[in-house]
Amino acid sequence: MSDRSLRGMRLGAQSMETESGVEPAPRQRVEYRCADGEQVFVTFSSEAEIPAVWVSKTGKEALLVNGEKPDTSNEKAVRTHWDMLLERRSLPELEQILEDRLTILRERRGERRSA
């Protein structure tokens, strides 16, 4: 039985089927350019919707060459936790709450603050 085994072949890892007669899907090569002039080429399917902005391998944003610039005017400003807190409380209120909480903590520890 050992004389009929396939030596050096990883079963299931490689296909025994040939690629003759197989046509790859149609593709298109799209060029993007960063603000510093770096060119980025990306291959998409010919049926794919091409994004206006692409992030390069270096992490920079690249815009589509001969494409429309994306409209970013509708984006909302990022609100932080501090911004949301200030919508509910004023600074004097926050300072008073802080003093009250510190007083409670100090009393629990047995510390008394002399005024």
Side-chain angles (χ1 to χ4, degrees), residues 74-85:
N74 294 340
E75 292 182 12
K76 292 173 117 179
V78 178
R79 283 179 27 192
T80 63
H81 294 290
W82 180 248
D83 294 333
M84 290 185 265
L85 184 64

Side-chain angles (χ1 to χ4, degrees), residues 49-94:
E49 185 176 326
I50 308 300
V53 177
W54 190 262
V55 178
S56 70
K57 290 181 182 178
T58 57
K60 300 179 224 167
E61 281 194 354
L63 295 175
L64 181 64
V65 174
N66 298 330
E68 295 179 13
K69 294 190 178 189
D71 182 24
T72 58
S73 61
N74 294 340
E75 292 182 12
K76 292 173 117 179
V78 178
R79 283 179 27 192
T80 63
H81 294 290
W82 180 248
D83 294 333
M84 290 185 265
L85 184 64
L86 287 179
E87 289 174 5
R88 296 189 307 266
R89 309 267 185 182
S90 66
L91 280 176
E93 285 178 308
L94 291 171

